[in-house]
Amino acid sequence: MSDEATIRAALARLETVHDEAGLAAWHRDVLGRRGSLSEALRTLGSLPESERRQAGQRLNTLKAELEAAFAARQEAVRAELLDHRLAGEGVDVTLPGRRHPLGGLHPLTAMIREVTDIWAHLGFQTVEGPEVELAKYSFDMLNIPKDHPARDVWDTIHIESDAAEITLRPHTSPMQVRIMLQQQPPVRVVVPGRVYRYEAQDATHEWHFHQLEGLAVDRHITMADLRGTLAEFARQIFGAERKVRFRCDYFPFVEPGVDMSIDCPFCSGKGCRICKYSGWIEILGAGMVHPNVLRWVGYDPDVYSGWAFGMGFERLTMLKYGVNDIRAFFSNDLRFLGQFQRARL
Ligand code: FA5
């Protein structure tokens, strides 16, 4: 075959190659050590001196042409292969996106925000205080002196210290003292926060939980203000039809002291398992601030009077959402927490 026919045949074959294996076979047959071009170059030696030079130049030009054609085809075949693969792996932009799970507020955080919001509308400022607290504020200045039996009621966790008696606060009431020491009446504050008690856990008791303290002090504040404001709060959180009931209770830092119950929202006061068939559920302790407490913070009890209350957030949230075990709040179980996903962020 003439050189020209050889090259045309080789180029035509190159056009039919569509994969890497075909490229390799072509390269081996045409440009490889035993390929047709090498074969032709080997025959140069047998040509007469006069023709050899010219034939050599022609074969080299031919070789360069074939190499260029191969490089171009190799590039084209690889591009074809890539196109083909991409077409197979195509992205369907009309498919719906994948949803990323969104976090939500913990039910207690949502409840704290909802409750402090209600109190803000009733004119109460929200403040926070320390969880590690001096016994002076947790007890002494709340009219619970050392060795007073009432001190045991709060099952306090103590922190070892030589300098002062220090507690993990067992209630938010020490903030009553801190606030009154800092400011003059009128005072209207609520204090949400975590508290700790050395208590056995069960479905309604935790060793750490959250309380809301409330305090209002001014001239002419009476028990009627306490009753009206707390009843309004209960209706805003549990519904306008709720009834409230006050009964005498004892807390050393109030006089008189009361507890407040609402008629059971599950049976509307008829009596059920949740309200232990009494028709009522207790939600907080309250009372008129004891004159001793007012005196010790520098308020004149003949001029000023006030009321305070304390309630537990976990029990409030359990009641509102029908949660039957307080431990669920701290279990980090997403099956439980996920049910509150729609809580406001
Ligand atoms: C107090 O802690 C008083 N400081 C409340 C108070 C404030 C009275 C101001 C008068 C004036 P008590 O120990 O009852 O009171 O707790 C208040 C609320 O905390 C209870 O009604 C309950 O809702 C919640 N609570 C108490 N112990 C636990 C517990 N172990 N686990 C979960 N919640 C609790």
mmCIF file of all heavy atoms in Angstrom, residues 154 171 173 176 197 199 204-206 209 211 213 251 253-254 283-287 308-312 315 326, ligand 1:
data_model
loop_
_atom_site.group_PDB
_atom_site.id
_atom_site.type_symbol
_atom_site.label_atom_id
_atom_site.label_comp_id
_atom_site.label_asym_id
_atom_site.label_seq_id
_atom_site.Cartn_x
_atom_site.Cartn_y
_atom_site.Cartn_z
ATOM 1 N N TRP A 154 -36.630 23.056 102.332
ATOM 2 C CA TRP A 154 -36.083 23.299 100.991
ATOM 3 C C TRP A 154 -34.973 22.328 100.569
ATOM 4 O O TRP A 154 -34.343 22.545 99.552
ATOM 5 C CB TRP A 154 -35.650 24.765 100.856
ATOM 6 C CG TRP A 154 -36.833 25.604 100.497
ATOM 7 C CD1 TRP A 154 -37.310 25.814 99.239
ATOM 8 C CD2 TRP A 154 -37.707 26.305 101.371
ATOM 9 N NE1 TRP A 154 -38.427 26.597 99.286
ATOM 10 C CE2 TRP A 154 -38.703 26.923 100.573
ATOM 11 C CE3 TRP A 154 -37.768 26.487 102.759
ATOM 12 C CZ2 TRP A 154 -39.732 27.697 101.109
ATOM 13 C CZ3 TRP A 154 -38.783 27.255 103.273
ATOM 14 C CH2 TRP A 154 -39.753 27.851 102.459
ATOM 15 N N HIS A 171 -34.758 27.885 95.693
ATOM 16 C CA HIS A 171 -35.926 28.587 95.136
ATOM 17 C C HIS A 171 -35.467 29.938 94.605
ATOM 18 O O HIS A 171 -34.312 30.333 94.832
ATOM 19 C CB HIS A 171 -37.061 28.737 96.177
ATOM 20 C CG HIS A 171 -36.673 29.385 97.478
ATOM 21 N ND1 HIS A 171 -37.578 29.719 98.450
ATOM 22 C CD2 HIS A 171 -35.460 29.779 97.981
ATOM 23 C CE1 HIS A 171 -36.966 30.265 99.484
ATOM 24 N NE2 HIS A 171 -35.687 30.311 99.216
ATOM 25 N N SER A 173 -36.762 32.750 95.469
ATOM 26 C CA SER A 173 -37.118 33.816 96.422
ATOM 27 C C SER A 173 -35.948 34.714 96.875
ATOM 28 O O SER A 173 -36.179 35.888 97.180
ATOM 29 C CB SER A 173 -37.830 33.216 97.635
ATOM 30 O OG SER A 173 -39.016 32.586 97.223
ATOM 31 N N GLN A 176 -35.979 38.181 95.645
ATOM 32 C CA GLN A 176 -36.814 39.222 96.270
ATOM 33 C C GLN A 176 -35.909 40.170 97.047
ATOM 34 O O GLN A 176 -35.988 41.389 96.932
ATOM 35 C CB GLN A 176 -37.802 38.606 97.263
ATOM 36 C CG GLN A 176 -38.922 37.809 96.667
ATOM 37 C CD GLN A 176 -39.905 37.371 97.765
ATOM 38 O OE1 GLN A 176 -40.090 38.064 98.765
ATOM 39 N NE2 GLN A 176 -40.526 36.224 97.573
ATOM 40 N N ARG A 197 -32.684 21.138 94.317
ATOM 41 C CA ARG A 197 -33.027 20.583 95.635
ATOM 42 C C ARG A 197 -32.529 19.158 95.756
ATOM 43 O O ARG A 197 -32.554 18.410 94.764
ATOM 44 C CB ARG A 197 -34.545 20.607 95.862
ATOM 45 C CG ARG A 197 -35.062 22.019 96.035
ATOM 46 C CD ARG A 197 -36.488 22.077 96.480
ATOM 47 N NE ARG A 197 -36.976 23.445 96.295
ATOM 48 C CZ ARG A 197 -38.200 23.840 96.539
ATOM 49 N NH1 ARG A 197 -39.090 22.984 96.984
ATOM 50 N NH2 ARG A 197 -38.556 25.097 96.343
ATOM 51 N N GLU A 199 -33.485 16.175 96.276
ATOM 52 C CA GLU A 199 -34.773 15.480 96.341
ATOM 53 C C GLU A 199 -34.754 14.240 95.474
ATOM 54 O O GLU A 199 -34.108 14.228 94.424
ATOM 55 C CB GLU A 199 -35.873 16.407 95.797
ATOM 56 C CG GLU A 199 -36.754 16.976 96.892
ATOM 57 C CD GLU A 199 -37.991 17.629 96.334
ATOM 58 O OE1 GLU A 199 -38.915 16.933 95.920
ATOM 59 O OE2 GLU A 199 -38.018 18.870 96.336
ATOM 60 N N THR A 204 -43.277 13.616 89.318
ATOM 61 C CA THR A 204 -43.604 15.033 89.524
ATOM 62 C C THR A 204 -42.503 15.804 90.261
ATOM 63 O O THR A 204 -42.660 16.983 90.548
ATOM 64 C CB THR A 204 -44.930 15.192 90.314
ATOM 65 O OG1 THR A 204 -44.836 14.401 91.505
ATOM 66 C CG2 THR A 204 -46.126 14.744 89.505
ATOM 67 N N HIS A 205 -41.384 15.137 90.557
ATOM 68 C CA HIS A 205 -40.292 15.816 91.264
ATOM 69 C C HIS A 205 -38.967 15.648 90.529
ATOM 70 O O HIS A 205 -38.611 14.534 90.152
ATOM 71 C CB HIS A 205 -40.115 15.254 92.672
ATOM 72 C CG HIS A 205 -41.271 15.556 93.569
ATOM 73 N ND1 HIS A 205 -42.408 14.788 93.583
ATOM 74 C CD2 HIS A 205 -41.460 16.563 94.463
ATOM 75 C CE1 HIS A 205 -43.266 15.309 94.462
ATOM 76 N NE2 HIS A 205 -42.719 16.381 95.003
ATOM 77 N N GLU A 206 -38.254 16.733 90.349
ATOM 78 C CA GLU A 206 -36.904 16.703 89.814
ATOM 79 C C GLU A 206 -35.971 17.289 90.857
ATOM 80 O O GLU A 206 -36.417 18.027 91.747
ATOM 81 C CB GLU A 206 -36.826 17.567 88.538
ATOM 82 C CG GLU A 206 -36.921 16.782 87.242
ATOM 83 C CD GLU A 206 -35.699 15.927 86.952
ATOM 84 O OE1 GLU A 206 -34.700 16.023 87.715
ATOM 85 O OE2 GLU A 206 -35.725 15.145 85.993
ATOM 86 N N PHE A 209 -35.054 22.134 88.732
ATOM 87 C CA PHE A 209 -36.235 22.526 87.971
ATOM 88 C C PHE A 209 -36.251 24.043 87.865
ATOM 89 O O PHE A 209 -35.260 24.695 88.226
ATOM 90 C CB PHE A 209 -37.510 21.964 88.621
ATOM 91 C CG PHE A 209 -37.681 22.305 90.081
ATOM 92 C CD1 PHE A 209 -38.507 23.353 90.479
ATOM 93 C CD2 PHE A 209 -37.024 21.579 91.060
ATOM 94 C CE1 PHE A 209 -38.673 23.670 91.821
ATOM 95 C CE2 PHE A 209 -37.180 21.891 92.415
ATOM 96 C CZ PHE A 209 -37.999 22.934 92.793
ATOM 97 N N GLN A 211 -38.265 27.837 88.388
ATOM 98 C CA GLN A 211 -39.351 28.545 89.059
ATOM 99 C C GLN A 211 -39.519 29.934 88.458
ATOM 100 O O GLN A 211 -38.628 30.439 87.768
ATOM 101 C CB GLN A 211 -39.030 28.718 90.559
ATOM 102 C CG GLN A 211 -39.234 27.461 91.381
ATOM 103 C CD GLN A 211 -39.111 27.736 92.876
ATOM 104 O OE1 GLN A 211 -38.509 28.726 93.292
ATOM 105 N NE2 GLN A 211 -39.677 26.857 93.675
ATOM 106 N N GLU A 213 -40.444 33.603 90.136
ATOM 107 C CA GLU A 213 -40.740 34.395 91.323
ATOM 108 C C GLU A 213 -41.417 35.673 90.864
ATOM 109 O O GLU A 213 -41.079 36.213 89.800
ATOM 110 C CB GLU A 213 -39.401 34.750 92.005
ATOM 111 C CG GLU A 213 -39.530 35.297 93.401
ATOM 112 C CD GLU A 213 -39.805 34.178 94.405
ATOM 113 O OE1 GLU A 213 -39.655 32.999 94.040
ATOM 114 O OE2 GLU A 213 -40.162 34.499 95.550
ATOM 115 N N PHE A 251 -45.403 30.014 104.406
ATOM 116 C CA PHE A 251 -44.034 30.276 103.954
ATOM 117 C C PHE A 251 -43.513 31.362 104.887
ATOM 118 O O PHE A 251 -44.205 32.377 105.080
ATOM 119 C CB PHE A 251 -44.009 30.794 102.509
ATOM 120 C CG PHE A 251 -44.617 29.850 101.508
ATOM 121 C CD1 PHE A 251 -45.948 30.000 101.115
ATOM 122 C CD2 PHE A 251 -43.872 28.814 100.956
ATOM 123 C CE1 PHE A 251 -46.514 29.134 100.195
ATOM 124 C CE2 PHE A 251 -44.439 27.945 100.025
ATOM 125 C CZ PHE A 251 -45.762 28.104 99.648
ATOM 126 N N PHE A 253 -41.566 33.772 104.728
ATOM 127 C CA PHE A 253 -41.282 35.133 104.236
ATOM 128 C C PHE A 253 -42.544 35.864 103.783
ATOM 129 O O PHE A 253 -42.457 36.950 103.209
ATOM 130 C CB PHE A 253 -40.251 35.092 103.099
ATOM 131 C CG PHE A 253 -40.366 33.861 102.232
ATOM 132 C CD1 PHE A 253 -41.144 33.873 101.084
ATOM 133 C CD2 PHE A 253 -39.704 32.700 102.584
ATOM 134 C CE1 PHE A 253 -41.252 32.745 100.292
ATOM 135 C CE2 PHE A 253 -39.810 31.562 101.802
ATOM 136 C CZ PHE A 253 -40.576 31.568 100.665
ATOM 137 N N VAL A 254 -43.719 35.253 103.999
ATOM 138 C CA VAL A 254 -44.972 35.966 103.703
ATOM 139 C C VAL A 254 -45.919 35.835 104.895
ATOM 140 O O VAL A 254 -45.853 34.884 105.665
ATOM 141 C CB VAL A 254 -45.659 35.424 102.422
ATOM 142 C CG1 VAL A 254 -44.917 35.849 101.176
ATOM 143 C CG2 VAL A 254 -45.848 33.919 102.481
ATOM 144 N N ILE A 283 -51.086 25.450 91.686
ATOM 145 C CA ILE A 283 -50.013 25.862 90.777
ATOM 146 C C ILE A 283 -48.964 26.791 91.394
ATOM 147 O O ILE A 283 -47.881 26.925 90.842
ATOM 148 C CB ILE A 283 -50.539 26.480 89.447
ATOM 149 C CG1 ILE A 283 -51.336 27.751 89.688
ATOM 150 C CG2 ILE A 283 -51.340 25.479 88.635
ATOM 151 C CD1 ILE A 283 -51.543 28.538 88.387
ATOM 152 N N LEU A 284 -49.264 27.408 92.519
ATOM 153 C CA LEU A 284 -48.215 28.273 93.083
ATOM 154 C C LEU A 284 -48.449 28.591 94.558
ATOM 155 O O LEU A 284 -49.542 28.402 95.096
ATOM 156 C CB LEU A 284 -48.111 29.585 92.286
ATOM 157 C CG LEU A 284 -49.340 30.470 92.107
ATOM 158 C CD1 LEU A 284 -49.530 31.409 93.298
ATOM 159 C CD2 LEU A 284 -49.193 31.296 90.847
ATOM 160 N N GLY A 285 -47.360 29.073 95.187
ATOM 161 C CA GLY A 285 -47.421 29.584 96.554
ATOM 162 C C GLY A 285 -47.268 31.094 96.499
ATOM 163 O O GLY A 285 -46.573 31.618 95.628
ATOM 164 N N ALA A 286 -47.915 31.799 97.444
ATOM 165 C CA ALA A 286 -47.853 33.269 97.391
ATOM 166 C C ALA A 286 -48.167 33.846 98.774
ATOM 167 O O ALA A 286 -48.396 33.104 99.740
ATOM 168 C CB ALA A 286 -48.855 33.796 96.367
ATOM 169 N N GLY A 287 -48.192 35.167 98.856
ATOM 170 C CA GLY A 287 -48.552 35.806 100.121
ATOM 171 C C GLY A 287 -48.090 37.246 100.166
ATOM 172 O O GLY A 287 -47.445 37.739 99.234
ATOM 173 N N ALA A 308 -45.847 38.522 96.946
ATOM 174 C CA ALA A 308 -44.881 37.734 96.185
ATOM 175 C C ALA A 308 -45.499 36.386 95.874
ATOM 176 O O ALA A 308 -46.430 35.941 96.559
ATOM 177 C CB ALA A 308 -43.599 37.538 96.994
ATOM 178 N N PHE A 309 -45.010 35.768 94.812
ATOM 179 C CA PHE A 309 -45.458 34.405 94.518
ATOM 180 C C PHE A 309 -44.300 33.607 93.931
ATOM 181 O O PHE A 309 -43.302 34.182 93.474
ATOM 182 C CB PHE A 309 -46.636 34.406 93.528
ATOM 183 C CG PHE A 309 -46.247 34.779 92.116
ATOM 184 C CD1 PHE A 309 -45.821 33.799 91.219
ATOM 185 C CD2 PHE A 309 -46.293 36.092 91.688
ATOM 186 C CE1 PHE A 309 -45.453 34.137 89.919
ATOM 187 C CE2 PHE A 309 -45.928 36.439 90.391
ATOM 188 C CZ PHE A 309 -45.507 35.459 89.507
ATOM 189 N N GLY A 310 -44.414 32.280 93.983
ATOM 190 C CA GLY A 310 -43.407 31.412 93.372
ATOM 191 C C GLY A 310 -44.110 30.203 92.778
ATOM 192 O O GLY A 310 -44.973 29.595 93.417
ATOM 193 N N MET A 311 -43.771 29.902 91.523
ATOM 194 C CA MET A 311 -44.409 28.707 90.921
ATOM 195 C C MET A 311 -43.393 27.925 90.106
ATOM 196 O O MET A 311 -42.327 28.433 89.741
ATOM 197 C CB MET A 311 -45.590 29.111 90.051
ATOM 198 C CG MET A 311 -45.154 29.871 88.844
ATOM 199 S SD MET A 311 -46.582 30.296 87.858
ATOM 200 C CE MET A 311 -45.747 30.904 86.430
ATOM 201 N N GLY A 312 -43.706 26.661 89.842
ATOM 202 C CA GLY A 312 -42.777 25.788 89.117
ATOM 203 C C GLY A 312 -43.144 25.726 87.641
ATOM 204 O O GLY A 312 -44.296 25.478 87.293
ATOM 205 N N ARG A 315 -44.155 22.015 86.234
ATOM 206 C CA ARG A 315 -45.526 21.571 86.529
ATOM 207 C C ARG A 315 -46.538 22.364 85.712
ATOM 208 O O ARG A 315 -47.541 21.827 85.254
ATOM 209 C CB ARG A 315 -45.797 21.688 88.019
ATOM 210 C CG ARG A 315 -44.925 20.698 88.783
ATOM 211 C CD ARG A 315 -45.436 20.412 90.156
ATOM 212 N NE ARG A 315 -44.441 19.639 90.895
ATOM 213 C CZ ARG A 315 -44.323 19.654 92.209
ATOM 214 N NH1 ARG A 315 -45.136 20.402 92.936
ATOM 215 N NH2 ARG A 315 -43.399 18.925 92.802
ATOM 216 N N ILE A 326 -42.314 14.459 84.643
ATOM 217 C CA ILE A 326 -41.429 15.637 84.636
ATOM 218 C C ILE A 326 -40.056 15.307 84.057
ATOM 219 O O ILE A 326 -39.390 16.158 83.471
ATOM 220 C CB ILE A 326 -41.315 16.205 86.079
ATOM 221 C CG1 ILE A 326 -40.699 17.604 86.058
ATOM 222 C CG2 ILE A 326 -40.514 15.269 86.972
ATOM 223 C CD1 ILE A 326 -40.744 18.316 87.397
HETATM 224 C C1 FA5 B 1 -41.260 27.882 97.183
HETATM 225 O O1 FA5 B 1 -40.196 27.500 96.657
HETATM 226 C C2 FA5 B 1 -41.466 29.320 97.555
HETATM 227 N N1 FA5 B 1 -40.254 30.050 97.353
HETATM 228 C C3 FA5 B 1 -42.631 29.886 96.763
HETATM 229 C C4 FA5 B 1 -43.104 31.217 97.229
HETATM 230 C C5 FA5 B 1 -42.577 32.368 96.705
HETATM 231 C C6 FA5 B 1 -44.101 31.315 98.230
HETATM 232 C C7 FA5 B 1 -43.013 33.633 97.145
HETATM 233 C C8 FA5 B 1 -44.535 32.544 98.669
HETATM 234 C C9 FA5 B 1 -43.998 33.693 98.133
HETATM 235 P P1 FA5 B 1 -42.398 25.529 97.000
HETATM 236 O O2 FA5 B 1 -41.331 24.757 97.660
HETATM 237 O O3 FA5 B 1 -43.803 25.099 97.253
HETATM 238 O O4 FA5 B 1 -42.328 27.080 97.345
HETATM 239 O O5 FA5 B 1 -42.141 25.504 95.427
HETATM 240 C C10 FA5 B 1 -42.871 26.295 94.517
HETATM 241 C C11 FA5 B 1 -43.227 25.496 93.254
HETATM 242 O O6 FA5 B 1 -42.069 24.863 92.733
HETATM 243 C C12 FA5 B 1 -44.192 24.332 93.517
HETATM 244 O O7 FA5 B 1 -45.516 24.773 93.459
HETATM 245 C C13 FA5 B 1 -43.887 23.415 92.366
HETATM 246 O O8 FA5 B 1 -44.553 23.826 91.208
HETATM 247 C C14 FA5 B 1 -42.414 23.629 92.150
HETATM 248 N N2 FA5 B 1 -41.622 22.538 92.746
HETATM 249 C C15 FA5 B 1 -41.271 22.367 94.043
HETATM 250 N N3 FA5 B 1 -40.515 21.265 94.203
HETATM 251 C C16 FA5 B 1 -40.365 20.713 92.971
HETATM 252 C C17 FA5 B 1 -39.669 19.560 92.443
HETATM 253 N N4 FA5 B 1 -38.940 18.769 93.213
HETATM 254 N N5 FA5 B 1 -39.744 19.316 91.122
HETATM 255 C C18 FA5 B 1 -40.452 20.147 90.325
HETATM 256 N N6 FA5 B 1 -41.116 21.236 90.737
HETATM 257 C C19 FA5 B 1 -41.075 21.534 92.034
#
